[in-house]
Every structure is written in C-alpha cells, then in structure tokens.
Amino acid sequence: MSTRTCLVTGGAGFIGCAVSRGLADDFDRVVVLDNLHPQIHPQPLRPAALDERVELVVGDVASAADWDALLADVEPDTVLHLAAETGTGQSLTESSRHARTNVVGTSEMLDAFRRSGRLPRRIVLTSSRAVYGEGAWRRQDGTLHYPGPRPQAMLERGEWDHPGAVPVPMAAATVAPAPASVYGATKLAQEHLVTLWADAHGVEAVVLRLQNVYGPGQSLINPYTGIMSLFCRLAREGRSIPLYEDGEVRRDFVIVDDVADAVLAATRVPAPGPEPIDIGSGSWRTIAQAAGIVAQTYGAPEPQVTGQFRPGDVRHAWADVSRAREVLDWTPRVGVDEGLRRLASWIDEVLGADRRG
C-alpha cells in the first residue's frame, strides 16, 4: 500500500499551522519545509500550534540544495505551496527579497520535482487578492473599467474613489489581474509558474486567491500580517485606532478557520481546473466598521479618521466566492463580529488579560 504524503512549504506559518491538523488526519505523512524567518518566528523553534504529527524540516524554498536533500526522503502526492514573502508596502522597499522567495523559490521547487523525478499529483497554491490590484470598476453605462493605481496627486487632494464608477467584487472569471504592487506581481508570477509547469507535466494545479486573512495564531510581531491584529493591539492599550483615507476603504476579512477549510477542500476535491478560486467572506466591511467593532470590544476610544494614505493601497477589495462554493463545496461560516471576538480573546491569552479601556 502506497503512503500518501503531503508536502507543505511555509507550513510553520499562520495558515500552515491552522491547516496542519486536517492535513495530518487526511494524509499518512505530512512534511513541512519552512525557514522559520525571524519576522514571523522570534525564535527559530517549532510552533506549538503545528500538529505534533507533522514533520518539520528547516530549509529555504529558494535553495536547490535544500530541495534536493528534502526530496531524497520525501515523495509528495500533494503539495501545498504556502511559502511567500507578504506585505504590499514592504515589497516596494525589499523587492529582491519578495522576488527571491515568491518567484525564485517557486521555480526552484518545480525544478527540484523534475530533477528528482518525484512529481506530485497536485499542487495547491495560495495566491492573493493582491494580483487584482485596484480591480475592476463599473461605469454608469455598465462597462467594466480598470482604473489602475490611484495617482499620488489624487490621493493628496483627498480624492479617494475613482470618479464615475463603482467597484465590483473580485472574481477570476470576470476580473482580470492587474497588480498594483511588487508583492502582487510576484504572486501573479507564482500562479503562472505553477499552472504552466503543471500543465506541461500532467500535474493538477489549484490556485486559491485569498482575501485578508485574520484570526487566532496570527503573528503579533510581523507588521505586514494584516490590520486586524494591529487594531486589536492598539485598542487593548486604550488608544484610538487611526483610520487611513476617509475610513471607507472596503476589505474582505476572512477568518483563518474558514481559509483552512478551503485549503483542505482544495486538496480533497476532484480537480477543479486551472481557473483561480477566490476565497473570502464574500462580503465587505469598511475599515471604519471593522475598527469600530474592535474598539467596542475593548472599550477603547472611537477610531479617528486621519486622512493619511499609503501609496500602493487599493481602495476596495472583496471576493465573489460563488466558484469556491461550486467547486470546493465550501462556504465561509464565521462573520467578522464573531471572528474579531475570537481574535481579541486569543490576543488577551497571549499578551495577558490586563488591558486598558
């Protein structure tokens, strides 16, 4: 009887730990390759949240030698490719770091599979809504418009929305990718590398485009892991949460539990085809609404609009999850209100129950 093995790159991180128990239940062997980067792991130690049945190999996805050593012992049936440098703003100042991990790391992985002769049956790639950039906006006549990044002068004037159009939800079938950041460009490159290589080698490829993932287990030291944990840390210190632009930026916040279910489904279902699958809550909240929930949870002062902005930030982003429902038989279950309560409770456990407010 053959042993079914799942190989997870970057599997000691936020999503990897969340999905580790389900993978260990499904597969005979689960092996994680992770470099335990200090931006995520203050100490180079095995995360407590990683299921004890999972084997951890410390290594670099961009290292051919590390790949050769790993594949000498591991013959994966399924590969879950989570390893990536994240952070829109960070990618503008550390472009080489993002390209090395996200693009070179992916190509080194694929070359190593070919070199070893150990081709997996399926590769599941977690991509990002960042590949859409500003996304598509619908004009009054019904046509789709791709406005691209908002110019600096527009932002300095406090003109936040693109005039004469309204944003539409992000869906691979209807909205073309148009990255507005180095990070987004590297994630789109990952998609192309994996799907083209897989098609040429008879390997199934599943691409998941994730919206803003948050929840218990999120790094509290990495400033690029998302705004939800930042909001919670500010509010529990009794500080008012600053809101960029006019506070009306829309985001799709999806809890990591729902994302883990989607990832597991992507390893289980019959091959859904190469078209990317959008994963989110399927709805949006404004940044002001999300911050208000956090402030209320902690009894913190009301959030304050600052009018500040960050170049490269997109105005609105949320997912149409209808394809995920259809091909993964998956539906998001946890709303933002409940998700934020879970996150706040976990942060209190980690940082201590004492808090202002």
Side-chain angles (χ1 to χ4, degrees):
M1 183 179 296
S2 62
T3 299
R4 290 186 66 242
T5 298
C6 181
L7 172 61
V8 189
T9 70
F14 179 35
I15 296 174
C17 287
V19 80
S20 63
R21 179 177 179 179
L23 292 175
D25 288 342
D26 285 357
F27 290 87
D28 301 303
R29 186 184 185 194
V30 180
V31 181
V32 159
L33 176 68
D34 199 295
N35 66 354
L36 300 181
H37 195 285
Q39 185 166 305
I40 307 296
H41 307 274
Q43 300 295 328
L45 303 173
R46 180 189 178 95
L50 188 64
D51 191 280
E52 62 183 9
R53 294 168 291 177
V54 172
E55 303 170 40
L56 173 61
V57 176
V58 179
D60 186 347
V61 290
S63 167
D66 286 353
W67 273 111
D68 289 344
L70 178 69
L71 293 179
D73 174 61
V74 178
E75 187 170 358
D77 169 80
T78 299
V79 175
L80 175 53
H81 190 33
L82 302 175
E85 293 288 354
T86 63
T88 299
Q90 186 182 32
S91 72
L92 295 175
T93 58
E94 298 188 56
S95 302
S96 295
R97 174 177 159 188
H98 280 68
R100 181 179 183 275
T101 299
N102 300 355
V103 180
V104 176
T106 299
S107 59
E108 287 286 5
M109 174 184 72
L110 301 175
D111 285 349
F113 290 149
R114 179 70 184 192
R115 199 161 53 241
S116 67
R118 295 188 163 183
L119 273 61
R121 177 183 59 86
R122 175 176 296 185
I123 300 175
V124 177
L125 168 68
T126 52
S127 186
S128 168
R129 58 96 175 160
V131 303
Y132 291 112
E134 196 69 39
W137 293 55
R138 192 175 301 282
R139 295 189 180 100
Q140 292 179 353
D141 64 4
T143 59
L144 284 183
H145 167 52
Y146 290 85
R150 293 170 293 170
Q152 180 85 5
M154 176 181 173
L155 297 173
E156 289 175 350
R157 292 192 300 268
E159 297 173 4
W160 309 122
D161 284 298
H162 295 285
V166 294
V168 302
M170 295 169 167
T174 56
V175 179
S181 67
V182 171
Y183 169 62
T186 63
K187 294 302 289 185
L188 186 58
Q190 277 190 325
E191 292 186 13
H192 290 160
L193 287 167
V194 168
T195 55
L196 290 169
W197 182 92
D199 182 65
H201 291 85
V203 173
E204 298 170 3
V206 183
V207 176
L208 306 179
R209 288 177 176 168
L210 309 182
Q211 292 284 325
N212 289 53
V213 186
Y214 74 99
Q218 200 163 15
S219 173
L220 298 180
I221 65 168
N222 182 1
Y224 301 102
T225 54
I227 62 173
M228 287 301 207
S229 60
L230 171 62
F231 283 1
C232 286
R233 294 199 305 275
L234 290 172
R236 78 186 304 276
E237 293 171 2
R239 298 161 62 185
S240 175
I241 298 170
L243 302 176
Y244 278 27
E245 301 186 14
D246 57 355
E248 296 303 306
V249 172
R250 300 179 190 179
R251 289 292 182 268
D252 185 337
F253 299 106
V254 56
I255 197 165
V256 69
D257 309 68
D258 283 339
V259 171
D261 288 344
V263 169
L264 287 171
T267 68
R268 295 167 177 163
V269 300
E275 182 179 282
I277 304 168
D278 294 279
I279 303 297
S281 70
S283 61
W284 55 264
R285 292 290 185 99
T286 66
I287 298 299
Q289 289 171 335
I293 296 170
V294 173
Q296 186 175 32
T297 299
Y298 283 100
E302 285 291 316
Q304 297 295 317
V305 172
T306 67
Q308 294 175 287
F309 60 86
R310 294 186 302 183
D313 272 359
V314 302
R315 177 62 171 170
H316 301 304
W318 77 99
D320 176 345
V321 298
S322 55
R323 177 165 161 77
R325 289 192 175 99
E326 176 186 350
V327 300
L328 298 181
D329 191 24
W330 169 89
T331 299
R333 296 178 297 174
V334 181
V336 172
D337 297 74
E338 172 61 24
L340 282 175
R341 283 193 289 271
R342 294 185 189 182
L343 175 61
S345 177
W346 174 77
I347 289 176
D348 284 347
E349 289 180 15
V350 173
L351 300 182
D354 292 337
R355 58 187 183 185
R356 302 176 189 172

